Amino acid sequence: MPLVVLCGRPGSGKSRRAAELREALGGPEREAHVVAEAEGGRAALRAEVERRLSRRDVVIVDAGNELRSIRYELYCAARQAGTARCLLHCAGGAGGPDEPPFEEPDPSCRWDRPLFTVRGEEPLPLGAIRAALFESAPPPPHRATRTQPLQSCGFLHQLDRVTQDVLAAVLAAQRSGAQPGETIRVPGVAEGLVLSRPVSVAELSRLRRQFISYTKMQPSDENMPQLASMFLQYLSRSIQ
């Protein structure tokens, strides 16, 4: 059954909205589960969402989901499960200096739509949310469940090359004496990576494999210009 992904800054009311959704979408015919951020971080949250997704129940993700890369992973999970999804943006709130940057949802990105935004005490657009979840056509079979088409080979080659280049830049910076807290730059990418601690080759390689596994679920030429940026965001979020 469907996935509802909440996103927003701390203090924007996500947990209150998740409780409202649970009451409104659950019932005798289906359960509504709220999956919240907990110890274990991003990987644990994603694993719990994937475990809960089924053909019957509704899964509501009560988390900041600040980065596009996080929302993309949840989008891929829903596609893999063959279920509808939507994104609820709780506007407002104020992140502190230690909070990760919040990347506003962009309805032009398929992983950020259908998008609903609520502010303050505005009522939830429950009619539109129900229509998106229960009345929309099911998504087509996920590419990960089929033989990859030949046209995706260029995407996969680019994905491999870009992630290798990012890892090479991170390792080179560490060898050159980059300290925790310093910004590591990758040629050709506007965003930098700030590491809180040194990271081994083995850990970086593992994260690269995970990122490739999720990203190649939905190969698309639209993503090519953003691959390095998405990988940097994934590393930033995963390395705590």
Side-chain angles (χ1 to χ4, degrees):
M1 267 293 180
L3 175 68
V4 184
V5 177
L6 277 70
C7 72
R9 294 182 173 86
S12 60
K14 295 184 297 297
S15 294
R16 174 170 59 87
R17 297 300 191 174
E20 291 179 34
L21 286 168
R22 182 176 186 174
E23 182 176 354
L25 300 178
E29 70 281 7
R30 70 178 74 88
E31 279 192 76
H33 305 280
V34 174
V35 177
E37 286 181 305
E39 186 175 351
R42 177 174 178 170
L45 178 73
R46 185 179 63 242
E48 180 66 8
V49 169
E50 291 173 346
R51 186 179 74 83
R52 292 281 188 179
L53 282 175
S54 72
R55 293 186 178 276
R56 177 174 173 270
D57 299 338
V58 178
V59 178
I60 301 161
V61 184
D62 175 15
N65 297 313
E66 301 92 349
L67 302 179
R68 287 190 300 268
S69 57
I70 304 174
R71 301 194 293 266
Y72 179 72
E73 288 179 13
L74 296 172
Y75 163 83
C76 288
R79 286 293 304 274
Q80 190 169 25
T83 188
R85 61 173 292 284
C86 71
L87 181 68
L88 178 65
H89 175 207
C90 299
D98 297 329
E99 297 290 337
F102 181 73
E103 296 178 343
E104 297 280 342
D106 180 358
S108 68
C109 295
R110 61 185 179 280
W111 55 87
D112 279 345
R113 65 176 188 258
L115 172 64
F116 304 99
T117 300
V118 290
R119 295 175 175 81
E121 300 301 317
E122 286 181 356
L124 288 173
L126 290 174
I129 289 174
R130 286 194 182 98
L133 297 179
F134 305 126
E135 299 173 18
S136 61
H142 200 287
R143 295 187 188 211
T145 64
R146 303 178 300 178
T147 303
Q148 290 289 345
L150 291 176
Q151 59 264 34
S152 71
C153 292
F155 176 87
L156 297 178
H157 174 76
Q158 180 79 350
L159 175 63
D160 182 74
R161 186 185 66 79
V162 165
T163 52
Q164 286 278 23
D165 290 347
V166 170
L167 253 61
V170 173
L171 292 170
Q174 290 191 136
R175 286 195 298 268
S176 299
Q179 298 298 310
E182 292 183 21
T183 301
I184 296 175
R185 296 291 178 185
V186 176
V189 185
E191 299 173 46
L193 173 66
V194 178
L195 296 177
S196 59
R197 58 176 173 82
V199 188
S200 68
V201 175
E203 183 176 2
L204 286 170
S205 298
R206 176 178 59 80
L207 291 172
R208 174 177 176 268
R209 289 193 299 271
Q210 290 176 352
F211 178 79
I212 287 175
S213 176
Y214 284 108
T215 306
K216 73 180 183 181
M217 288 179 181
Q218 188 67 21
S220 169
D221 291 344
E222 296 175 18
N223 292 339
M224 282 193 179
Q226 305 178 55
L227 287 176
S229 176
M230 289 169 64
F231 186 37
L232 284 171
Q233 293 168 14
Y234 185 85
L235 291 176
S236 177
R237 183 71 176 179
S238 301
I239 299 170
Q240 301 294 337

